[in-house]
Amino acid sequence: MAVTSVTPHCGTLSSGDFIWTSRDHLRSRPSLKPSFRRRIHRWSVSGSNCRSEMSTPSPLPALPDRRIIVGCGGITIDYLATVAAFPRPDDKIRSTSSKIQGGGNVGNTLTGVARLGLAPRLISKIAKDAQGTFALSELERDGVDTSYTVVSPEGNSPFTYIIVDNETKTRTCIHTPGYPEMRPSDLPQSTLLSALDGARLAYFDVRLHETAIVVAHEAARMNIPILVDAERRREGLDDLLNLANYVVCSENFPQEWTEAPSTPRALLTMLLKLPRMKFVIVTLGERGCIMLERAPEGTLETEKIDVDSLLATLNEKADTENQMPTCISSENMTLTCDGVGSISGRMIVGTAEKIAPAELVDSTGAGDAFIAGILYGLCAGMTAEKMLPFAACVAAANCRALGARTGLPFRTDPHLVPFLL
């Protein structure tokens, strides 16, 4: 796909703040004061519409040298039905559209990273039934290596009914677990070592927890960084968090896990309790995300600031009017909270892409798509200021189609290209 040239533009930021936004957005907002414009770090695509203004092709850079992602978790089949409005008890209604598609957090995320050009390997278990066969064949068509997935000759594969409400733009999931469950004995040591050989990252959705913990310990022993999807409390989660280098949380999880009175305090508490963790991200849906990142060892101590106050300051500066996702970050500081403690690190606030109501189809799998973007960003060595908007774009693309995988973008998508150059 031919695209117009892409050039990063940097501004002088006295406090270390960065915002990723578009040049055309600035042109459309003449009310911005010149002083504010100088504080913006812009990532722009020349021309107002990169789909329609085609010129000399800009070849994408080479893929990361180490791009094998090992994912361990559950996969399912999703039976999706969209309805005009969620039914009342005893109602009989008709769907407006329907789809049968593979699902499950790890399956969705690995499909996402495969389409972005990475090389995912799946450790999971499925039954040798029609649902399991469909799930594996779909993953393989997208480039996911399923050779490390156990296929049980008996039992049933997991599946989920998903009702997508067009009125409220929400979805309701009814999940039926599979049987028999995966056990560590299903994964011989030789197979485990083969799966992890050459891996850049290991990813866990905290399902199949007994096997996941074995895989995570081996990954940690091999110095393979670990990312955990902390969607909700599950059995084995704490053991995986203790081994994690990166964590992506749902909105309510940090406070539920720490019992802290605010999200910033909860994120600080997590970094204090989990010394291996380099960063934690909490996703906030259409309100974007917050990332707390530990400073590298040897970083000089700077001014102290309360994490709640820092979030308030960053939220005031965030560009919430921009249609495309943006990102604003603090400098490395001593982040504190009374009664909790302090660390040296920084906070980054990312906004979400604004999706027109007519374009918003289904939020199923948006979090999995976001994590796919984070995994790619880590493999590619992206800065947080580049990685968070990139992941937000991946998630937004997925929300424009029915199901958790239909809208997952490919690496050549014009909306993603500017982040890859």
Side-chain angles (χ1 to χ4, degrees):
M1 179 70 71
V3 298
T4 49
S5 61
V6 180
T7 309
H9 300 266
C10 299
T12 302
L13 308 178
S14 59
S15 64
D17 303 331
F18 292 88
I19 299 178
W20 291 89
T21 186
S22 69
R23 177 188 297 157
D24 296 305
H25 175 67
L26 293 176
R27 289 177 182 147
S28 68
R29 297 182 65 199
S31 61
L32 286 179
K33 296 179 180 179
S35 60
F36 183 77
R37 287 171 177 264
R38 287 194 296 271
R39 295 170 60 82
I40 294 179
H41 188 142
R42 300 187 299 272
W43 185 263
S44 64
V45 179
S46 300
S48 61
N49 190 332
C50 65
R51 289 186 184 274
S52 61
E53 296 191 15
M54 300 302 180
S55 61
T56 305
S58 297
L60 290 174
L63 287 163
D65 290 335
R66 296 180 59 205
R67 57 181 183 273
I68 295 172
I69 305 292
V70 177
C72 179
I75 58 175
T76 72
I77 290 295
D78 289 345
Y79 296 92
L80 295 120
T82 60
V83 296
F86 195 83
R88 296 170 298 179
D90 281 339
D91 266 359
K92 291 184 178 181
I93 62 173
R94 291 188 176 185
S95 63
T96 57
S97 63
S98 63
K99 181 183 285 291
I100 300 175
Q101 187 177 76
N105 297 54
V106 71
N108 300 335
T109 297
L110 294 189
T111 298
V113 299
R115 293 187 185 183
L116 293 174
L118 303 184
R121 298 170 179 170
L122 172 65
I123 297 175
S124 190
K125 187 172 185 177
I126 207 84
K128 192 177 182 180
D129 54 12
Q131 294 163 327
T133 301
F134 180 91
L136 290 184
S137 63
E138 190 179 57
L139 288 164
E140 289 162 2
R141 285 196 302 271
D142 264 306
V144 178
D145 182 351
T146 65
S147 61
Y148 302 99
T149 298
V150 177
V151 179
S152 171
E154 56 185 13
N156 64 275
S157 300
F159 59 92
T160 305
Y161 295 116
I162 302 176
I163 302 173
V164 180
D165 184 344
N166 282 336
E167 183 178 54
T168 62
K169 302 297 184 182
T170 58
R171 84 282 191 270
T172 301
C173 303
I174 306 170
H175 181 65
T176 300
Y179 177 85
E181 294 183 1
M182 190 173 191
R183 304 295 182 191
S185 57
D186 290 327
L187 191 68
Q189 181 70 5
S190 59
T191 303
L192 172 58
L193 293 176
S194 177
L196 293 173
D197 183 41
R200 173 65 178 82
L201 289 160
Y203 158 66
F204 300 89
D205 67 3
V206 202
R207 290 173 173 86
L208 313 179
H209 67 279
E210 292 180 354
T211 302
I213 292 168
V214 172
V215 176
H217 275 289
E218 188 61 36
R221 188 191 68 79
M222 297 172 67
N223 294 318
I224 299 171
I226 291 170
L227 186 147
V228 171
D229 175 7
E231 184 180 35
R232 61 174 61 92
R233 282 187 176 273
R234 302 185 193 277
E235 192 170 0
L237 172 62
D238 287 358
D239 292 325
L240 289 171
L241 288 177
N242 283 322
L243 295 169
N245 304 98
Y246 314 104
V247 177
V248 180
C249 307
S250 61
E251 180 171 358
N252 296 325
F253 176 82
Q255 287 183 257
E256 290 176 355
W257 192 73
T258 63
E259 298 183 351
S262 70
T263 296
R265 292 186 179 203
L267 298 179
L268 179 62
T269 302
M270 291 182 71
L271 285 179
L272 288 168
K273 287 186 174 183
L274 303 169
R276 295 173 63 101
M277 190 186 299
K278 295 181 180 180
F279 69 62
V280 55
I281 299 171
V282 57
T283 57
L284 307 173
E286 63 183 13
R287 292 180 287 114
C289 65
I290 304 168
M291 175 176 174
L292 209 62
E293 181 181 48
R294 193 187 306 271
E297 290 187 13
T299 300
L300 295 177
E301 292 292 324
T302 57
E303 63 177 299
K304 292 185 178 181
I305 187 167
D306 178 81
V307 285
D308 286 314
S309 299
L310 178 58
L311 178 60
T313 299
L314 292 177
N315 279 336
E316 288 178 358
K317 297 177 181 178
D319 186 2
T320 58
E321 299 300 319
N322 198 336
Q323 179 181 347
M324 296 304 292
T326 65
C327 190
I328 184 166
S329 65
S330 73
E331 296 176 330
N332 279 314
M333 302 176 175
T334 301
L335 308 176
T336 67
C337 176
D338 289 342
V340 175
S342 64
I343 64 162
S344 178
R346 62 182 187 141
M347 182 181 291
I348 304 99
V349 171
T351 64
E353 181 176 341
K354 294 185 183 301
I355 305 175
E359 296 180 12
L360 179 59
V361 176
D362 180 16
S363 62
T364 302
D368 304 330
F370 182 87
I371 292 176
I374 295 297
L375 289 168
Y376 183 92
L378 289 171
C379 279
M382 289 183 179
T383 63
E385 289 82 7
K386 188 175 180 180
M387 178 175 67
L388 293 183
F390 173 74
C393 277
V394 175
N398 199 51
C399 291
R400 290 183 167 93
L402 180 61
R405 300 183 188 174
T406 307
L408 286 170
F410 289 85
R411 189 168 182 261
T412 51
D413 188 307
H415 288 92
L416 301 184
V417 169
F419 298 96
L420 304 177
L421 297 177

